[in-house]
């Protein structure tokens, strides 16, 4: 299916949109008139504190048929068992790899599962990594996250997403970001599965380009934000909220997707990963993976990210006298990897689409023995690599702990993952250590 929707192009823009069925529904010259056009209610959605500097201040004004406050009390929602702040368990520094996660019956919310995380949404610091799976659409059910932003990475099956701001169609090899507080519903045409990166602090932004210049990596004009589209529908509708790591639900007698017009710079968006302009080393050495950063959520410390979203797309490899795959590494950051499609170059066996790996803070990782031997001895020629492949990484400065679901309940952990390095052999050609000379 081709994308049936229209979008506004740009990243972080001041957008304005009104449903063409109600021309003139955006107030002129002010945000909150005494009487809005068409008898609408004005409602502001703040994505940052009022007093944030202009360059980081995010908010939108929504003009809707009924205000979002019209609902019953929230009560605890218990259908989703393994989602939320579930990582307060015994930590393990081991390298971890998961087989593809199962696709469970149900809709998007009931198929949410938390793999790992760190920090606390109560104090607005930290991240969480989830998977989702679903076989059904969300019918008269909506969801919003009061704890942070979702970056959603579909791996199997397209997502037809209705939001307060309009509609998005997101296929595998695309991503979308739905920010804190925005209500949305997910509709599917077939079984679907994917990954979610959740950040509790700030919002995603484009990385600075530095000496790359004005153009490159993910270009702002390729990010697409939905246009206003409302439904005036009276029905029994359930709103599910993620609040302080726990799910709650409330009922209302109308659809929440009744926004006739909106303006502002706080709105969901999607991006096609195939449009990423790849930068790579063209003489020697393997460049650091930060050159593949699509989006970053910075901390207050310069250059340190709460989370980076990094991809490993098809690209040319031309370095001379260089070991071209990713190098052996110990990192002060946590590295979670997923695979949308294809085969990841550093480990072509065992890492399958829909699966994942986690290399925790300062835990060694790198190419397996077969990859090292092959690439240490191969003839180096210009080569197109990762053809038909899209791997990605969620990298975070936080030390993440795996949940009970991620450790055992999912039954997808590969206990023999460590063995992919066990056959690495010594190639040292220097003199042997003299007995008694070791310290």
């Amino acid at each position: 299916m081709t994308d049936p929707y229209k979008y506004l192009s740009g990243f972080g823009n001041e957008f304005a949109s009104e449903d063409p069925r109600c021309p003139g529904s955006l107030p002129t010259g002010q945000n909150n008139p005494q009487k809005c056009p068409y008898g609408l209610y004005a409602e502001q959605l703040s994505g940052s504190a009022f007093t944030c500097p202009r360059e980081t201040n995010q908010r939108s004004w929504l003009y809707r048929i009924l205000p979002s406050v019209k609902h019953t009390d929230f009560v605890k929602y218990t259908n989703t068992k393994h989602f939320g702040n579930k990582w307060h368990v015994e930590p393990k520094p081991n390298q971890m790899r998961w087989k593809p996660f199962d696709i469970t019956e149900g809709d998007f919310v009931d198929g949410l599962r938390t793999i790992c995380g760190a920090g606390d949404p109560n104090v607005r610091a930290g991240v969480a990594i989830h998977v989702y799976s679903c076989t059904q659409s969300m019918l008269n059910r909506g969801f919003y996250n009061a704890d942070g932003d979702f970056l959603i990475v579909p791996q199997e099956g397209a997502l037809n997403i209705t939001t307060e701001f309009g509609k998005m169609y997101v296929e595998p090899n695309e991503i979308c970001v739905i920010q804190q507080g925005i209500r949305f519903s997910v509709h599917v045409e077939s079984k679907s599965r994917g990954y979610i990166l959740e950040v509790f602090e700030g919002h995603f932004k484009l990385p600075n380009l530095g000496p790359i210049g004005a153009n490159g990596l993910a270009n702002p004009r390729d990010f697409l934000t939905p246009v206003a589209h409302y439904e005036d529908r009276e029905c029994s509708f359930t709103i599910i909220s993620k609040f302080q790591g726990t799910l709650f639900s409330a009922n209302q007698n109308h659809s929440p997707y009744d926004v006739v017009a909106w303006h502002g710079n706080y709105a969901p968006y999607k991006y096609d990963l195939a449009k990423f302009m790849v930068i790579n080393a063209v003489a020697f050495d393997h460049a650091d993976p930060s050159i593949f950063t699509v989006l970053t959520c910075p901390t207050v410390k310069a250059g340190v990210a709460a989370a980076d979203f990094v991809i490993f797309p098809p690209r040319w490899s031309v370095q001379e006298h260089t070991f071209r795959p990713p190098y052996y590494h110990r990192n002060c950051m946590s590295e979670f990897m997923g695979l949308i499609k294809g085969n990841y170059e550093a480990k072509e066996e065992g890492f399958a689409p829909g699966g994942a790996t986690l290399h925790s803070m300062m835990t060694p990782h790198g190419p397996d023995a077969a990859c090292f031997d092959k690439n240490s001895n191969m003839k180096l020629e210009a080569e197109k690599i990762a053809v038909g492949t899209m791997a990605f990484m969620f990298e975070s400065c936080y030390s993440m702990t795996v949940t009970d679901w991620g450790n055992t309940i999912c039954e997808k952990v590969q206990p023999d993952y460590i063995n992919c390095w066990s056959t690495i052999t010594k190639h040292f050609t220097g003199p042997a250590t003299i007995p008694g000379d070791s310290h």
Side-chain angles (χ1 to χ4, degrees):
M1 177 178 173
T2 57
D3 192 333
Y5 303 127
K6 295 181 179 179
Y7 299 92
L8 303 166
S9 170
F11 189 91
N13 293 17
E14 285 284 344
F15 292 117
S17 181
E18 59 183 26
D19 192 306
R21 291 172 291 176
C22 293
S25 48
L26 274 174
T28 301
Q30 64 178 119
N31 295 320
N32 191 24
Q34 185 178 23
K35 289 184 178 293
C36 293
Y38 295 93
L40 298 172
Y41 288 87
E43 180 177 282
Q44 184 174 198
L45 178 61
S46 294
S48 62
F50 291 141
T51 52
C52 279
R54 274 187 183 266
E55 58 268 23
T56 59
N57 205 304
Q58 297 189 35
R59 57 85 186 94
S60 286
W61 281 91
L62 287 70
Y63 302 93
R64 57 194 318 149
I65 296 171
L66 285 169
S68 58
V69 71
K70 192 175 189 295
H71 61 76
T72 64
D73 278 344
F74 282 97
V75 296
K76 187 168 287 189
Y77 182 82
T78 58
N79 285 13
T80 305
K81 302 293 185 184
H82 304 293
F83 175 68
N85 299 12
K86 309 289 187 181
W87 51 81
H88 302 294
V89 298
E90 189 74 21
K92 295 179 182 178
N94 294 333
Q95 300 93 341
M96 296 191 69
R97 185 164 69 188
W98 290 266
K99 294 181 287 188
F101 297 101
D102 290 337
I103 297 178
T104 57
E105 295 291 327
D107 67 18
F108 177 85
V109 173
D110 289 341
L112 290 168
R113 304 288 186 267
T114 302
I115 301 175
C116 57
D120 190 339
N122 294 26
V123 295
R124 302 302 306 278
V127 296
I129 294 173
H130 319 283
V131 289
Y132 72 85
S133 66
C134 52
T135 58
Q136 302 170 12
S137 297
M138 294 173 64
L139 301 178
N140 291 334
R141 282 157 55 94
F143 177 85
Y144 75 92
N145 184 2
D147 292 340
D149 293 6
F150 272 179
L151 188 156
I152 301 174
V153 184
Q155 185 273 319
E156 181 177 340
L159 303 181
N160 197 333
I161 303 175
T162 300
T163 78
E164 295 175 271
F165 291 78
K167 298 187 176 188
M168 299 186 292
Y169 189 77
V170 188
E171 299 180 275
N173 218 52
E174 296 183 318
I175 63 165
C176 69
V177 171
I178 302 178
Q179 295 94 327
Q180 181 188 19
I182 295 175
R183 300 179 177 196
F184 67 96
S185 298
V186 174
H187 304 269
V188 295
E189 302 151 358
S190 60
K191 62 181 183 179
S192 300
R193 174 177 60 197
Y195 311 84
I196 299 174
L197 171 59
E198 180 184 10
V199 293
F200 303 147
E201 55 192 283
H203 303 291
F204 289 102
K205 59 181 287 188
L206 293 174
N208 291 322
L209 295 180
I212 292 174
N215 306 287
L217 308 186
N219 290 311
R221 72 186 184 108
D222 292 326
F223 289 83
L224 302 177
T225 291
V227 297
H229 179 89
Y230 75 90
E231 58 180 33
D232 182 8
R233 189 163 62 90
E234 296 182 359
C235 59
S236 177
F237 203 100
T238 300
I239 299 291
I240 301 167
S241 167
K242 179 176 180 287
F243 177 75
Q244 295 186 8
T246 302
L247 295 185
F248 297 86
S249 67
N251 296 317
Q252 58 187 56
N253 61 4
H254 62 282
S255 168
Y257 308 120
D258 61 353
V259 176
V260 177
W262 63 269
H263 76 85
N265 63 351
Y266 190 63
Y269 53 85
K270 74 169 206 168
Y271 175 74
D272 183 352
L273 300 179
K275 294 183 177 179
F276 186 82
M277 198 276 267
V278 182
I279 302 291
N280 207 358
V282 296
F284 60 88
D285 278 354
H286 186 290
D288 292 333
S290 49
I291 61 170
F292 303 128
T293 302
V294 180
L295 292 168
T296 183
C297 179
T299 63
V300 294
K301 185 181 290 187
V304 178
D308 285 329
F309 174 61
V310 179
I311 62 173
F312 303 96
R315 59 200 183 276
W316 281 96
S317 182
V318 300
Q319 303 99 309
E320 298 177 311
H321 46 82
T322 294
F323 181 77
R324 291 177 175 177
Y327 40 72
Y328 293 101
H329 193 204
R330 289 178 295 163
N331 197 353
C332 64
M333 310 281 276
S334 300
E335 300 182 18
F336 177 95
M337 286 194 64
L339 187 60
I340 299 171
K341 59 181 180 178
N343 296 289
Y344 181 55
E345 60 187 294
K347 296 181 186 68
E348 295 188 5
E349 300 294 332
F351 185 28
T357 66
L358 175 64
H359 299 139
S360 296
M361 196 171 286
M362 288 302 172
T363 296
H365 55 278
D368 59 25
C371 176
F372 180 84
D373 291 341
K374 174 186 174 182
N375 286 274
S376 296
N377 297 292
M378 67 185 294
K379 182 180 179 181
L380 295 180
E381 298 176 326
E383 179 185 14
K384 188 77 174 286
I385 63 172
V387 176
T389 293
M390 184 62 75
F392 70 86
M393 180 167 63
F394 298 152
E395 185 177 63
S396 174
C397 70
Y398 291 103
S399 187
M400 288 185 276
T401 304
V402 178
T403 64
D404 285 336
W405 185 85
N407 270 317
T408 57
I409 298 171
C410 71
E411 298 183 337
K412 295 299 176 182
V413 173
Q414 298 179 1
D416 60 349
Y417 179 38
I418 191 68
N419 293 341
C420 75
W421 294 288
S422 65
T423 56
I424 294 175
T425 57
K426 183 169 64 174
H427 300 286
F428 182 62
T429 59
T433 303
I434 300 171
D437 194 36
S438 60
H439 297 281

